[in-house]
Amino acid sequence: MTDRHYRMRRVKDKAMHGIFMTMAILVMVPLASMVVYVAVRGLKRLDLDFFLHLPAPVGEPGGGMGNAILGTISMVAIACGVSLPISIMAAIYLAEFGKQGRYAFLIRFTADVLSGVPSIVTGIFVYQVLVRRVHHFSGLAGGLALGIIMIPLVTRTTEELIKLVPRTLTEASLALGVARWKTTLLIVLHAARGGIVTGVLLAVARVAGETAPLLFTALNNQYWPSGIDQPTASLTVQVFTYAIAPFQDWQDQAWTGALVLLIMVFGVGLGARLALRRTLIQMD
């Protein structure tokens, strides 16, 4: 290779590297712009009262979204209780037992289709199945809708992370005479626990920002949650309600609620990334 050809290749390499870096930075510009804008608008009302107080009536200063934050946490907890047993067991079956069988194909296909269903459709489904039958909205219905959204996300993520567990661990356990189900529970799941946590956290980050299904299931409430069988406030619905209101004070609180929601989602997403990184390092 001549010096001229070598120099040309270096120039092309640096040019393409610069183009790729520019495109990567441009991808981050919308996200950074949104975060900065929401932070600037939301920091004005961000204080301890926002987390501890109920919404104030129109015209009264102060108030907060403590009930909405608590309602969001409670419904996400219900969603986890509904979805995790189903999705983790389904992922274990797909990764360890079913693999390429007919039932495995059906489960994967169902999970992929379900993950693409708009969340508002899930909300309408739970409204017809549960809310109309009991004749009132509830936090339980909201948690069930969020749980249905979580199932395909956790299932597919957990399946892929279980597949990353070295087969030598499974084979060594089986060679020692350990039953297959014990090997799966005590060896495979233990090795993939970080990946499972990652899948759960990513799903939680996704459903924590959902609004449409909660409008049909949990509705809203201006008071502290009195039970999972009662209408329950959520941060997303409260932000939506305040954002479209004609009152400046409510609109300012909507920006603060959006900032808190953004921090929650970013925190959960960061935790998922760290858990995934730790899992991959341990598997290597």
Side-chain angles (χ1 to χ4, degrees):
M1 180 183 298
T2 64
D3 291 342
R4 179 185 177 186
H5 290 163
Y6 178 74
R7 286 195 298 269
M8 287 297 297
R9 292 185 63 177
R10 288 291 301 273
V11 170
K12 292 179 181 179
D13 180 71
K14 290 183 177 181
M16 294 304 298
H17 182 76
I19 293 174
F20 293 147
M21 284 293 296
T22 303
M23 295 299 106
I25 294 173
L26 289 178
V27 168
M28 298 176 61
V29 168
L31 176 62
S33 302
M34 180 186 66
V35 171
V36 172
Y37 188 80
V38 173
V40 171
R41 298 292 299 270
L43 285 173
K44 294 187 297 185
R45 295 295 304 272
L46 186 63
D47 52 24
L48 190 60
D49 291 343
F50 184 84
F51 296 91
L52 300 180
H53 290 180
L54 292 173
V58 178
E60 292 189 10
M65 295 187 183
N67 61 328
I69 296 173
L70 183 59
T72 296
I73 294 174
S74 63
M75 284 189 285
V76 170
I78 293 172
C80 290
V82 170
S83 64
L84 295 189
I86 299 173
S87 54
I88 292 177
M89 289 184 181
I92 293 173
Y93 174 79
L94 293 175
E96 292 293 311
F97 299 97
K99 295 187 179 179
Q100 302 301 323
R102 179 184 306 175
Y103 295 113
F105 171 80
L106 181 61
I107 294 172
R108 289 191 184 96
F109 178 78
T110 303
D112 291 339
V113 172
L114 188 60
S115 64
V117 173
S119 60
I120 192 172
V121 176
T122 304
I124 295 174
F125 169 75
V126 177
Y127 172 81
Q128 291 290 338
V129 172
L130 181 59
V131 175
R132 289 193 62 182
R133 290 182 181 272
V134 299
H135 304 292
H136 64 83
F137 300 94
S138 65
L140 179 61
L144 178 60
L146 298 182
I148 294 175
I149 297 173
M150 284 182 65
I151 287 175
L153 302 175
V154 178
T155 299
R156 297 297 277 155
T157 305
T158 303
E159 178 194 358
E160 296 303 321
L161 267 298
I162 290 177
K163 288 180 178 179
L164 293 179
V165 176
R167 301 305 302 173
T168 53
L169 293 177
T170 303
E171 294 170 356
S173 178
L174 296 175
L176 293 174
V178 181
R180 182 63 181 271
W181 66 272
K182 285 187 178 181
T183 298
T184 301
L185 294 179
L186 301 179
I187 305 298
V188 177
L189 287 187
H190 179 76
R193 65 188 184 280
I196 296 174
V197 171
T198 300
V200 172
L201 291 179
L202 290 174
V204 167
R206 158 74 187 280
V207 301
E210 289 290 347
T211 304
L214 300 182
L215 290 172
F216 290 92
T217 53
L219 194 60
N220 203 4
N221 196 337
Q222 296 298 312
Y223 305 99
W224 295 106
S226 58
I228 62 173
D229 60 337
Q230 298 298 321
T232 304
S234 61
L235 194 55
T236 51
V237 174
Q238 196 79 359
V239 168
F240 170 75
T241 303
Y242 276 24
I244 63 176
F247 313 110
Q248 184 62 44
D249 185 60
W250 280 19
Q251 293 177 3
D252 291 340
Q253 289 201 44
W255 284 110
T256 304
L259 176 60
V260 172
L261 184 62
L262 202 60
I263 293 173
M264 291 172 59
V265 172
F266 273 20
V268 173
L270 180 61
R273 295 294 181 183
L274 294 176
L276 178 60
R277 181 179 180 184
R278 188 180 302 113
T279 300
L280 294 177
I281 291 175
Q282 291 174 353
M283 289 181 179
D284 289 340

